[in-house]
Amino acid sequence: MSAATVDSDGPSKILADFSCLMEPFPDAIFGMTVEGIIVSWNRGAESIFGYSSREISGSHLIRLAPPERHHEVPILLEGPSSGTPFHPAPTEVVTKDGRRITVCLSASPLTDCGGAVVGIAAIARDITEKKEKERALRHSEERFRAIFSLAALGIAEVALDGRWLHANQKLCDILGYSCEELATLRIQEVSHPEDVAAHRPLLDTLLAGTIESFSTEKRCYHRDGTLLWVHLNVSLVRDGSGEPAHFIAVVEDITSARALQEELRQSMDLLEKRVAERTLELTQTIETLQGEIAQRESLSRSLETRMAELLETQSELREKEELLLQQSRLAVMGEMIGNIAHQWRQPLNTLGLLTQDIGLTCRTGGGDPDTIDATVRKSMRVIEHMAQTIDDFRNFFRPDKERVPFRLSHVVEKTRSLLEESFSTQRITIEVQVTDDPVVTSYPNECCQVLLNLLINAKDTLEERKVRDPKVVITVGSEEGKGVLTVTDNAGGIRDEIIERIFERNFTTKGPEKGTGVGLFMSRMMVERNMEGKLSVCNVGTGARFTIEFPATG
């Protein structure tokens, strides 16, 4: 590279000769005037700073300085320009592409033959990578010191003979010694003797280079004599020549973990024992259950046979109940026929009298057409009344097909009208008391039949006991949301020894000519099975009271 010249005098010649002399060197070497004007620039400078000789020649040194350090450039030039060298020092500069790099910069004065300073020679070596490595190493050392001091595990450097070289606070806490006390001991002195002998082969293998590190669990003694369990990880550090230098030991206190492990082992042993015992119990239980299952299967087969027999028996009982119900209805029907006779006796007498009156009138030749017509109308009303009676009895025995809502008072009135003439003949008073008239959903005709059975039983008992002023009271009301109907007589009540049996099948206190004992049985069956109600009896005052409760009211 040709050196730039200012003029043809001696200083320019000296600077040019200096530049030619330094051209082969890789460092940045350049010459300046005492004022700091660059006049020569070698290839090393081009490589480091990025400027060519043509680009930089004539520029002031300040061009290479960061803006915030421009004020330092005159100070740097002051020494060499006065004959005092600027000794090598790290200096930050700016390259052509704007990068900031660190160079080791030195500057020396250039003198002529007479000793006068005619220029300045500067040498710059790029030490950016070196500075980065130094910073990285310093950061690594700081981080290691922080980890070493603050680690949650015990860390120590141990000499090859077992002396503690350095130990962090955590290791001192684990073993109970201060750092100064630990430095006076060897690792063998705090280790269990059996473990020292057992781990010697591992250390020999590590020193031989066969392995890089090893981990093990060992016993150590606390300063107070307590035996500790620790997990130990040992690595070997070698020097620059590859020879063993010292060990790095990482220590973790696992005494509590070992205690828990032992407790867990004991618990597992106990659990295995209990599992074995429980398994034996379950095996015995399974065998017992298998025996019971076999017995139950045998019993189940017996029950199936018995169930079949019961179903057959139930079918027979159902047929018998139907027969009993038919008998009960026939008995009631016989009673109704007697009531029809009572109901028709008076109308028939009336018809007889009216017929005789018409005949007498015709024989005597008397009577006017109006009188005859009036007599005929009276006869037709009587006949209509008798026909209505037949319809009432026919509807009474017509079976209900489905539940319907109805008022209890209507059932009472319908049943009372059927028996009114019969009761009147026996001079038995029927009194109806309605405190509340609930609507129930059931079978009205079956309700009539039950009430009819109760009234006929009351009538027969009053006749049999020849009660003075016989009376039957029918009440209609509701209790706790249920429709309630009662029939109470004054016949003296039911004897205590038989009151619990009167609803049994074929039980009767009447003679064979007056009943079969199925009326009350069938009445309870119709109330409880068909109407989902309840029929009960008790003695009150001077007679018996039968109570029918219906499940729903409206």
Side-chain angles (χ1 to χ4, degrees), residues 351-364 371-372 375:
L351 282 175
L353 292 173
L354 289 172
T355 302
Q356 291 176 5
D357 185 45
I358 293 173
L360 181 61
T361 300
C362 292
R363 283 196 301 270
T364 59
T371 301
I372 294 174
T375 303

Side-chain angles (χ1 to χ4, degrees), residues 259-484:
L260 289 174
Q261 185 178 1
E262 178 62 22
E263 183 179 346
L264 179 60
R265 186 191 64 77
Q266 295 175 358
S267 298
M268 289 296 294
D269 292 343
L270 180 60
L271 179 60
E272 289 178 0
K273 181 180 178 182
R274 290 181 177 175
V275 167
E277 293 173 351
R278 185 58 178 160
T279 301
L280 179 60
E281 292 176 2
L282 289 174
T283 301
Q284 294 172 346
T285 302
I286 290 171
E287 291 175 354
T288 302
L289 288 175
Q290 287 174 342
E292 292 181 358
I293 289 171
Q295 293 177 357
R296 291 184 181 181
E297 288 177 349
S298 176
L299 180 60
S300 177
R301 287 191 293 270
S302 299
L303 288 175
E304 288 176 0
T305 303
R306 181 59 178 162
M307 184 63 71
E309 294 174 354
L310 289 175
L311 290 174
E312 184 177 353
T313 302
Q314 186 178 10
S315 177
E316 294 176 357
L317 287 175
R318 190 177 296 110
E319 292 177 0
K320 292 180 180 179
E321 286 177 359
E322 292 294 333
L323 181 60
L324 288 174
L325 181 60
Q326 187 65 22
Q327 290 175 354
S328 175
R329 287 177 175 170
L330 290 174
V332 174
M333 189 176 295
E335 186 72 26
M336 288 298 99
I337 291 174
N339 283 305
I340 291 173
H342 285 294
Q343 293 278 45
W344 279 9
R345 185 173 291 115
Q346 181 61 37
L348 286 173
N349 289 336
T350 302
L351 282 175
L353 292 173
L354 289 172
T355 302
Q356 291 176 5
D357 185 45
I358 293 173
L360 181 61
T361 300
C362 292
R363 283 196 301 270
T364 59
D368 57 84
D370 291 338
T371 301
I372 294 174
D373 288 341
T375 303
V376 171
R377 284 195 298 272
K378 289 180 181 179
S379 299
M380 291 305 299
R381 283 198 297 270
V382 172
I383 291 171
E384 289 173 1
H385 173 70
M386 294 174 69
Q388 183 62 46
T389 301
I390 291 296
D391 289 339
D392 289 343
F393 279 99
R394 182 180 59 189
N395 292 333
F396 179 82
F397 287 103
R398 180 179 298 163
D400 294 315
K401 292 184 179 180
E402 60 182 13
R403 298 172 182 267
V404 295
F406 60 90
R407 292 192 178 276
L408 289 180
S409 62
H410 294 172
V411 169
V412 171
E413 182 58 31
K414 177 180 177 181
T415 307
R416 186 192 64 79
S417 66
L418 295 175
L419 297 176
E420 184 175 17
E421 191 66 31
S422 174
F423 271 60
S424 177
T425 302
Q426 300 296 329
R427 293 184 175 81
I428 300 173
T429 303
I430 298 180
E431 181 181 334
V432 178
Q433 299 175 356
V434 181
T435 59
D436 188 13
D437 193 8
V439 175
V440 300
T441 301
S442 188
Y443 302 102
N445 278 355
E446 289 193 3
C447 184
C448 285
Q449 292 174 29
V450 172
L451 181 58
L452 186 65
N453 276 333
L454 298 180
L455 291 174
I456 290 174
N457 276 351
K459 180 176 73 69
D460 292 344
T461 304
L462 290 168
E463 290 179 359
E464 179 183 350
R465 298 181 181 179
K466 296 181 173 50
V467 176
R468 181 180 297 179
D469 298 327
K471 182 178 180 181
V472 176
V473 178
I474 304 173
T475 66
V476 178
S478 60
E479 293 179 6
E480 299 179 355
K482 299 179 181 180
V484 179

Side-chain angles (χ1 to χ4, degrees), residues 152-213:
L153 301 176
I155 304 175
E157 292 182 8
V158 183
L160 298 181
D161 61 1
R163 289 178 293 109
W164 298 99
L165 299 178
H166 298 94
N168 68 349
Q169 187 60 46
K170 181 62 177 179
L171 181 60
C172 294
D173 293 341
I174 290 174
L175 297 177
Y177 294 95
S178 67
C179 293
E180 293 77 12
E181 290 174 331
L182 202 60
T184 64
L185 301 174
R186 296 177 184 269
I187 191 171
Q188 296 89 332
E189 296 178 63
V190 298
S191 301
H192 194 283
E194 294 178 0
D195 293 343
V196 172
H199 297 150
R200 186 68 249 180
L202 289 173
L203 290 172
D204 293 341
T205 305
L206 186 62
L207 290 169
T210 306
I211 58 175
E212 295 182 357
S213 64

